[in-house]
């Protein structure tokens, strides 16, 4: 069996920057086992790849189902694969698709005609855990939160870029050991995102420089950035109500693969809880090819 794929660099408009993702197209009626999918993901050896399930020939649908795999496991949701796949659907191939379906739920997607960015209204079940992790870089206990069940991140606020340059590790030593999380949430992976405030940009978005470590450093992590935006929005004064609260995260600089990630969070009534999370970014196609299964 031969399957076609496209690779894209995500959260950038410059090839060989950003965070790469492979979109593997699976024709209708074609069945792949979990073992086959995992083997393909390991072969690509990227932070994540996507299996895009195509509609049957002669049919039309505004929805596309996707499966997301790291090089070690399937995950219910991840940000840069979602933005990369959305760019492939809306821009690279100009398809009339309004929704991608992940294991975490349906995601409404659209292209912003002014900025050219893809926007994805991501599924979320934001939860802050009871466990905290100490970091020698800030000498304090740091929170861990999940954007969805199975995608969790420790958030470490640092004072400056000099401290950020010293970040080297995931505080959860085994990325795929979620046993420290709250009961009912012990699924998937736990990474560590380090962040430094950088003021406000010309669009009024609060800026941060970030780095994220799982089993290795990741150049651009939409899921961790989305969770971070939810956590930051929760720190905003309740008098600001629903918001929305807008954030611009720059990640991957130390790896030589700069990513620009936008997240907008709307809180619930009276500033309580999270009502909506919108992830945004650009992408650019890099490679086309076929693989043998």
């Amino acid at each position: 069996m031969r399957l076609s794929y496209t690779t894209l660099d995500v959260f950038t408009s410059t090839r060989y920057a950003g965070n790469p993702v492979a979109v593997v197209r699976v024709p209708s009626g074609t069945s792949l086992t979990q073992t086959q999918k995992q083997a393909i993901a390991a072969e690509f050896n990227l932070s994540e790849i996507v299996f895009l399930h195509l509609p049957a020939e002669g049919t039309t649908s505004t929805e596309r189902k996707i499966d997301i795999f790291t090089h070690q496991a399937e995950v219910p949701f991840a940000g840069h694969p979602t933005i990369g796949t959305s760019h492939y659907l809306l821009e690279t191939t100009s398809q009339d698709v309004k929704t991608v379906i992940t294991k975490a739920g349906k995601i409404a997607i659209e292209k912003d005609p002014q900025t050219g960015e893809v926007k994805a209204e991501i599924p979320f079940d934001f939860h802050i855990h009871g466990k905290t992790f100490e970091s020698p870089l800030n000498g304090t206990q740091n929170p861990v939160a999940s954007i969805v069940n199975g995608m969790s991140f420790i958030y470490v606020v640092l004072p400056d870029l000099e401290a950020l340059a010293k970040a080297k590790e995931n505080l959860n030593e085994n990325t795929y050991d979620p046993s420290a999380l709250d009961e009912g949430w012990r699924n998937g992976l736990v990474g560590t995102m380090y962040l430094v405030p950088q003021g406000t940009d010309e669009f009024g978005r609060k800026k941060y420089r970030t780095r994220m470590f799982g089993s290795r450093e990741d150049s651009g992590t939409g899921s961790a950035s989305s969770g971070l935006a939810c956590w930051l929005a929760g720190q905003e004064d309740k008098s600001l109500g629903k918001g929305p609260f807008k954030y611009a995260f720059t990640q991957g600089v130390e790896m030589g693969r700069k990513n620009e990630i936008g997240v907008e969070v709307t809180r619930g009534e009276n500033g309580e809880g999270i009502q909506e999370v919108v992830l945004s970014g650009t992408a650019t196609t890099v490679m086309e090819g076929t693989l043998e299964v």
Side-chain angles (χ1 to χ4, degrees):
M1 184 194 322
R2 294 167 67 89
L3 300 177
S4 299
Y5 68 86
T6 300
T7 71
L8 305 96
D9 287 333
V10 185
F11 296 131
T12 182
S13 56
T14 303
R15 287 185 179 88
Y16 312 112
N19 197 357
V21 68
V23 178
V24 179
R25 298 184 284 284
V26 182
S28 177
T30 300
S31 179
L32 293 173
T33 66
Q34 285 293 104
T35 300
Q36 288 173 322
K37 292 176 184 176
Q38 192 61 70
I40 293 167
E43 183 73 13
F44 274 103
N45 199 32
L46 300 173
S47 55
E48 285 105 2
I49 76 165
V50 171
F51 294 92
L52 171 64
H53 296 271
L54 305 179
E57 279 193 48
T59 65
T60 58
S61 173
T62 60
E63 296 185 336
R64 296 289 186 274
K65 179 186 173 186
I66 64 173
D67 303 320
I68 304 172
F69 281 72
T70 74
H71 62 292
Q72 290 186 283
E74 184 175 15
V75 293
F77 162 76
H80 101 273
T82 300
I83 294 297
T85 303
S86 300
H87 180 93
Y88 171 80
L89 292 167
L90 300 178
E91 178 68 19
T92 306
T93 58
S94 300
Q95 298 182 49
D96 181 22
V97 178
K98 295 179 171 56
T99 307
V100 294
I101 304 172
T102 69
K103 293 291 196 305
K106 293 187 175 184
I107 302 177
I109 63 172
E110 64 177 351
K111 182 181 175 183
D112 188 316
Q114 290 185 312
T115 65
E117 290 186 336
V118 170
K119 293 184 175 182
E121 187 179 324
I122 69 166
F124 65 90
D125 186 11
F126 183 68
H127 176 78
I128 300 174
H129 297 268
K131 170 71 174 177
T132 57
F133 290 78
E134 185 173 359
S135 170
L137 295 179
N138 65 2
T140 190
Q141 295 293 322
N142 301 280
V144 56
S146 301
I147 184 62
V148 295
N149 196 329
M151 297 296 283
S152 307
F153 301 93
I154 304 157
Y155 294 113
V156 181
V157 181
L158 298 177
D160 51 40
L161 296 180
E162 183 179 355
L164 186 65
K166 297 176 182 176
K168 301 294 181 188
E169 63 180 351
N170 182 3
L171 298 179
N172 190 62
E173 292 183 7
N174 181 351
T175 300
Y176 293 91
D177 176 11
S179 60
L181 303 181
D182 291 349
E183 185 70 33
W185 292 82
R186 293 166 187 162
N187 301 297
L189 59 83
V190 182
T192 301
M193 177 163 267
Y194 299 86
L195 59 139
V196 177
Q198 296 284 282
T200 304
D201 71 10
E202 65 270 28
F203 304 111
R205 301 182 300 180
K206 291 189 175 180
K207 295 168 54 182
Y208 291 83
R209 275 277 302 278
T210 62
R211 298 179 73 181
M212 203 292 288
F213 292 83
S215 56
R216 56 191 178 188
E217 185 168 7
D218 190 34
S219 61
T221 321
S223 53
S225 299
S226 297
L228 174 56
C230 290
W231 182 71
L232 291 170
Q235 313 301 307
E236 301 282 357
D237 196 278
K238 289 292 186 290
S239 65
L240 297 174
K242 297 176 70 173
F245 302 93
K246 300 180 180 181
Y247 303 95
F249 303 113
T250 301
Q251 185 182 341
V253 172
E254 292 78 6
M255 300 177 69
R257 298 193 68 100
K258 183 178 180 181
N259 287 245
E260 299 287 359
I261 304 169
V263 186
E264 181 176 312
V265 176
T266 302
R267 297 193 303 201
E269 296 297 332
N270 303 315
E272 298 291 339
I274 304 297
Q275 185 178 87
E276 183 180 73
V277 182
V278 178
L279 176 68
S280 62
T282 58
T284 183
T285 56
V286 179
M287 303 178 195
E288 296 274 357
T290 58
L291 59 88
E292 296 275 359
V293 180

